[in-house]
Amino acid sequence: MNEVLHAVKDFLISESALHGPLVPLEPPKTFAQKIMDLVDDAHPVCEMKSLDDLQRYVQTSILTPIDQDRTLPVFGDGNPQATIMLIGEAPGADEDKTGSPFVGRAGQLLDKMLAAIDLSRQDIYITNILKSRPPKNRDPNPDEVAAHLPVLYRQLSLIAPEIILCLGRVSGQTILETASPLNQLRGQIHGYHGASLIVTYHPAALLRNSTWKRPTWEDLKLLRELYLSQ
């Protein structure tokens, strides 16, 4: 045994002489760690240890001017241990009044979409990029997105979903940091810091254009297959 130990020691010494001292490999970063690498270390959300802490921060903070005009912040809702996380772009008028995401006509349609693949709100966690409603439901401005993204990233890191479904162009482009159009983003599985990400049409868009329902159904089936394979 001593001879074996001496041989190993001699080998390590010789390797060190050739290549420098051996440095232990660091364990790979988790999904949560990779997401928080996207946030400045000095940002207040880094100190939030739970979704409740983070929600209180959102309720008491003005991160961008539209936060001053909201009725209620719309933080998020659902299962905090969910495997699947849905991300929209911003609250609408109904959400602004209630403080809950996806409660209007688009929310009712979303419930039907989830039920079609044997899921419910109790199975998922759902939120938006913005936690406040933009005036007249316009697209979020870049400065508004930048102000609210750290909150979303902290939500992602605390929930650590395995699957993310982005609802709509703005959500998909923002999360994936791309300018690619929605028709190029949907219909496939994107890798996202170790999670799997799918982009599809926003339920509100389906209320305006029923021809998008068929491709959305294909995306939902892809989501279901991915969920069952986890």
Side-chain angles (χ1 to χ4, degrees):
M1 178 63 71
N2 287 337
E3 292 179 356
V4 173
L5 292 176
H6 284 305
V8 171
K9 179 180 178 181
D10 291 342
F11 171 76
L12 293 176
I13 291 173
S14 63
E15 286 294 299
S16 178
L18 289 172
H19 308 293
L22 296 176
V23 179
L25 293 176
E26 293 185 4
K29 288 188 175 182
T30 65
F31 171 83
Q33 291 169 329
K34 291 177 183 178
I35 292 297
M36 291 310 294
D37 282 346
L38 302 174
V39 181
D40 190 301
D41 291 341
H43 197 287
V45 300
C46 297
E47 301 299 320
M48 309 298 160
K49 303 301 182 184
S50 69
L51 289 174
D52 288 340
D53 292 342
L54 188 61
Q55 185 167 10
R56 281 190 290 271
Y57 168 74
V58 171
Q59 291 169 338
T60 58
S61 300
I62 302 299
L63 304 176
T64 188
I66 62 170
D67 296 341
Q68 295 177 312
D69 300 323
R70 67 192 177 199
T71 304
L72 289 171
V74 183
F75 179 73
D77 191 32
N79 182 354
Q81 285 85 43
T83 299
I84 301 175
M85 185 166 171
L86 274 59
I87 303 174
E89 60 184 67
D94 293 308
E95 291 76 19
D96 178 67
K97 293 175 183 177
T98 63
S100 298
F102 287 86
V103 294
R105 291 180 61 215
Q108 294 169 9
L109 178 55
L110 177 62
D111 289 343
K112 294 178 181 178
M113 292 163 59
L114 292 171
I117 55 172
D118 300 319
L119 291 173
S120 71
R121 291 193 184 225
Q122 287 69 43
D123 301 312
I124 65 167
Y125 190 89
I126 183 167
T127 189
N128 288 293
I129 295 170
L130 295 194
K131 312 309 182 192
S132 301
R133 180 196 181 198
K136 299 181 180 180
N137 293 344
R138 60 159 170 74
D139 283 353
N141 290 332
D143 61 320
E144 295 164 350
V145 170
H148 281 224
L149 260 183
V151 175
L152 176 64
Y153 287 149
R154 191 63 181 132
Q155 285 177 299
L156 279 164
S157 70
L158 288 167
I159 296 166
E162 297 177 23
I163 303 169
I164 299 167
L165 178 65
C166 288
L167 297 168
R169 171 185 58 82
V170 172
S171 176
Q173 290 178 337
T174 300
I175 303 304
L176 291 174
E177 299 182 67
T178 179
S180 297
L182 180 56
N183 61 3
Q184 292 182 14
L185 296 176
R186 59 154 301 274
Q188 58 183 302
I189 299 172
H190 303 267
Y192 184 70
H193 302 291
S196 299
L197 187 149
I198 296 171
V199 184
T200 196
Y201 291 95
H202 194 286
L206 303 182
L207 294 172
R208 297 192 300 268
N209 190 335
S210 61
T211 61
W212 290 331
K213 289 184 177 180
R214 171 55 60 182
T216 301
W217 173 238
E218 297 301 322
D219 294 331
L220 291 175
K221 289 194 295 183
L222 182 61
L223 174 70
R224 180 64 179 173
E225 291 170 5
L226 185 59
Y227 176 60
L228 292 177
S229 69
Q230 296 299 308

